[in-house]
Amino acid sequence: MADQDDAGRAGAEFLWGLRERPVKQPRLALTVDRIATAAIEMADAEGIEGVSMQRVAASLDVTKMALYRHLTNKAELVAVMIEMAVGDPPDLSAIEGGWRPRIEHWAELMRGTWRRHPWLPTATVGDRAIGPREIGWTESALSAFDGTPLLGAEKIDAVFVLSGHIRNSQVAALSGTQPWTSDRRTRGDIGELMRRNHNQFPHILAALDDARNAPADNSWAFGLEQILRGLASLIDERATTKPLRRAK
Amino acid sequence: MADQDDAGRAGAEFLWGLRERPVKQPRLALTVDRIATAAIEMADAEGIEGVSMQRVAASLDVTKMALYRHLTNKAELVAVMIEMAVGDPPDLSAIEGGWRPRIEHWAELMRGTWRRHPWLPTATVGDRAIGPREIGWTESALSAFDGTPLLGAEKIDAVFVLSGHIRNSQVAALSGTQPWTSDRRTRGDIGELMRRNHNQFPHILAALDDARNAPADNSWAFGLEQILRGLASLIDERATTKPLRRAK
DNA sequence: ATCCAAAGTATCCGGCGGACACAAGATAGC
DNA sequence: GCTATCTTGTGTCCGCCGGATACTTTGGAT
């Protein structure tokens, strides 16, 4: 940072043991990748709202305006973060057993990724640029339905509802939304308030009571199961000439 | 606003035609309701990110700090906005025909509300306070499953996946997420980019091609249908002693 | 008429995204 | 080897944000 005006002084200080190593440690170059990596690390740890240009820059020992040499604005940083965080989409072609194991595998992988980066649901709302890897996940999911009798639009809609369930499970996990399905602390608070007005919420309280001994948080698996059941029913209906008794 | 120290002067100015009407137009009192109503109007028109304390205050002809006499902070304003925007939950008890028409009715009402206030998905992420009317919508949905053999936890999870689909449809509608399902403009842009790398996205392009003559945006109805099919299948399975051939 | 609590205002703060002008270091041409 | 240019990072400034604090105004109750 300063190595010219104190060139002479630096030598003296070094000789007299005032400094152990020459100042000029290489200082790796600033790149979009390094910036985004630092920002992702910050977002993973503190949430996306804690990520500001200033703080990212500081974590890289650089002024905030230096970032603008590599990114045109903050939206672009977020877009790059997303693209980097979602990672490369999986190849499902090796998975045997038809569409269901394939899409289940895909869903678990995607859920894992989103859980590793809990800020993704927040960052992916609103109008924004979408990168090729993100699209690649959709491509990957569509491939799971190869060989099914679903129409193109139906495959897309199926992937949509599945992605939505993943996003939504993550939204619920990091928030007070649907708190009774997530953590005990919040559940206690809201539960208390509901119990105080118990006559207003009889069904919720009855359901919670009934659920007391159920597995802690099954909403992810339950929702996934129902969506896949629905798809299975549609696919079967399409596949057989004489349709199954249609689900009422 | 000022009517004591310039009482005499005011009369003179009025007599001499310097002021057309007495200053003291009633100036309706500031209330939480008026504030939230103004903020909702702004959010509906410009999105939640356009809502700032300053702008809300200005639209009420008041300084921003006046709002803090009625609300402790912005999060509270947003919470009140949400509670007001979602409105009173519906009473489904009059709907005949079992759980399915009831929950379908509920879903359409909820979707309508969320469409009228497109900022709701954005405002309802993250840890936050939840009000009684919002909970009331869950209560209402749960009542739709009265008489079904679902367990309490399952009813809650069913409502969760349905709410999620509503939220997610709205997220998609206002954004570039899953753009091929929403508006033509974005679809054109992304479509162009995908076509340029057509070998990377064969399934998407094939599906879009196949979907060219399909109804414009069916993702809401399709997802809802699959979820309900899944639930129907589970309910039937529970209801009959000899289980149906289980969906593969 | 006076006092007082409630409601609204004025001013200030740190942090935000970002525009713009500038400085220093690398690099290329001669 | 010297100089001009181009790249990369810096310093300063702006308007807007949410919010703390101290103030003035105002409408009633006494």
Side-chain angles (χ1 to χ4, degrees):
Chain A
M1 207 178 291
D3 59 353
Q4 169 152 320
D5 55 340
D6 26 356
R9 186 152 46 84
E13 285 178 354
F14 184 54
L15 289 178
W16 285 81
L18 293 175
R19 197 187 301 126
E20 298 194 335
R21 279 192 310 160
V23 173
K24 209 171 169 183
Q25 45 218 23
R27 172 160 195 179
L28 18 160
L30 206 52
T31 63
V32 172
D33 269 36
R34 282 189 66 226
I35 297 171
T37 302
I40 288 175
E41 201 171 317
M42 199 172 286
D44 288 348
E46 314 171 35
I48 191 79
E49 67 284 354
V51 175
S52 76
M53 298 304 270
Q54 332 223 32
R55 305 222 309 123
V56 171
S59 84
L60 294 168
D61 230 354
V62 121
T63 61
K64 118 184 123 159
M65 290 317 291
L67 306 186
Y68 286 96
R69 292 286 171 197
H70 305 268
L71 299 160
T72 72
N73 53 39
K74 193 183 180 183
E76 190 167 303
L77 170 57
V78 174
V80 173
M81 287 171 67
I82 295 170
E83 189 72 1
M84 191 174 293
V86 297
D88 278 317
D91 176 4
L92 308 174
S93 61
I95 297 170
E96 303 292 332
W99 65 273
R100 211 197 210 263
R102 283 200 296 266
I103 201 69
E104 278 176 342
H105 185 71
W106 175 89
E108 288 302 338
L109 287 176
M110 179 140 165
R111 172 166 148 93
T113 300
W114 281 56
R115 281 164 68 104
R116 269 191 301 283
H117 304 291
W119 46 272
L120 275 174
T122 310
T124 53
V125 290
D127 213 358
R128 64 192 182 87
I130 300 185
R133 290 166 114 185
E134 202 179 341
I135 300 251
W137 277 85
T138 299
E139 169 70 20
S140 169
L142 283 175
S143 79
F145 293 108
D146 274 357
T148 65
L150 296 180
L151 305 177
E154 290 173 334
K155 291 177 187 171
I156 290 179
D157 291 345
V159 173
F160 170 79
V161 65
L162 285 166
S163 315
H165 183 55
I166 291 163
R167 137 180 261 117
N168 213 63
S169 296
Q170 194 52 40
V171 168
L174 57 77
S175 80
T177 316
Q178 320 289 14
W180 44 84
T181 65
S182 47
D183 86 83
R184 298 267 155 193
R185 186 191 53 74
T186 326
R187 182 191 300 188
D189 291 342
I190 302 268
E192 163 65 18
L193 288 168
M194 286 193 303
R195 239 168 290 274
R196 204 177 303 169
N197 306 290
H198 62 280
N199 42 344
Q200 282 183 48
F201 308 110
H203 291 91
I204 296 182
L205 292 171
L208 287 180
D209 211 54
D210 186 22
R212 183 138 347 129
N213 300 326
D217 178 8
N218 199 41
S219 63
W220 156 249
F222 183 87
L224 180 61
E225 170 67 20
Q226 304 322 308
I227 295 169
L228 294 182
R229 264 176 192 259
L231 289 173
S233 144
L234 176 62
I235 288 172
D236 286 357
E237 195 174 291
R238 284 280 164 71
T240 53
T241 331
K242 42 169 191 189
L244 292 180
R245 144 162 151 38
R246 221 189 139 200
K248 188 178 54 186
Chain B
M1 203 181 295
D3 61 351
Q4 172 153 315
D5 56 340
D6 28 355
R9 184 151 47 84
E13 285 178 355
F14 183 54
L15 289 178
W16 286 81
L18 294 175
R19 198 188 300 125
E20 298 195 335
R21 277 192 312 161
V23 174
K24 209 173 168 181
Q25 46 217 24
R27 174 161 195 175
L28 22 160
L30 206 54
T31 63
V32 172
D33 268 35
R34 283 190 64 226
I35 297 172
T37 303
I40 287 175
E41 202 171 316
M42 198 172 288
D44 287 348
E46 315 171 34
I48 191 80
E49 67 285 352
V51 175
S52 75
M53 298 304 268
Q54 333 222 31
R55 303 221 311 123
V56 171
S59 85
L60 294 168
D61 231 354
V62 119
T63 62
K64 119 184 120 158
M65 290 319 289
L67 306 186
Y68 286 96
R69 293 283 170 198
H70 306 266
L71 299 159
T72 72
N73 53 38
K74 193 184 179 181
E76 190 168 302
L77 170 58
V78 174
V80 173
M81 288 172 67
I82 294 170
E83 190 71 0
M84 190 174 294
V86 299
D88 277 317
D91 176 5
L92 308 175
S93 61
I95 297 171
E96 304 291 331
W99 65 273
R100 211 198 210 263
R102 284 199 295 266
I103 200 69
E104 277 175 344
H105 186 71
W106 175 88
E108 288 302 339
L109 287 176
M110 178 139 167
R111 172 165 148 93
T113 299
W114 281 56
R115 280 164 67 104
R116 269 192 301 284
H117 305 291
W119 46 273
L120 275 174
T122 310
T124 52
V125 290
D127 214 355
R128 64 193 182 86
I130 299 185
R133 289 167 115 188
E134 203 179 340
I135 301 250
W137 277 85
T138 299
E139 170 70 19
S140 169
L142 284 175
S143 79
F145 292 108
D146 274 356
T148 65
L150 296 180
L151 304 177
E154 290 172 334
K155 291 178 188 171
I156 290 179
D157 291 345
V159 174
F160 171 77
V161 65
L162 285 166
S163 316
H165 183 55
I166 292 163
R167 140 180 258 117
N168 211 64
S169 295
Q170 194 52 40
V171 168
L174 58 77
S175 79
T177 316
Q178 320 289 17
W180 45 83
T181 66
S182 48
D183 86 83
R184 300 263 155 197
R185 186 191 53 73
T186 326
R187 182 192 299 187
D189 291 343
I190 302 268
E192 163 65 18
L193 288 167
M194 286 193 303
R195 240 169 289 276
R196 204 176 304 169
N197 305 290
H198 63 281
N199 42 343
Q200 282 184 48
F201 308 111
H203 292 91
I204 296 182
L205 292 171
L208 287 180
D209 211 53
D210 186 22
R212 180 134 353 125
N213 300 327
D217 179 7
N218 200 42
S219 63
W220 156 250
F222 182 88
L224 180 61
E225 169 68 20
Q226 303 323 306
I227 295 169
L228 294 181
R229 264 176 193 259
L231 289 173
S233 145
L234 177 62
I235 289 172
D236 286 356
E237 196 174 292
R238 284 280 164 70
T240 53
T241 332
K242 44 168 194 204
L244 293 180
R245 145 161 149 39
R246 219 187 140 199
K248 186 178 56 187

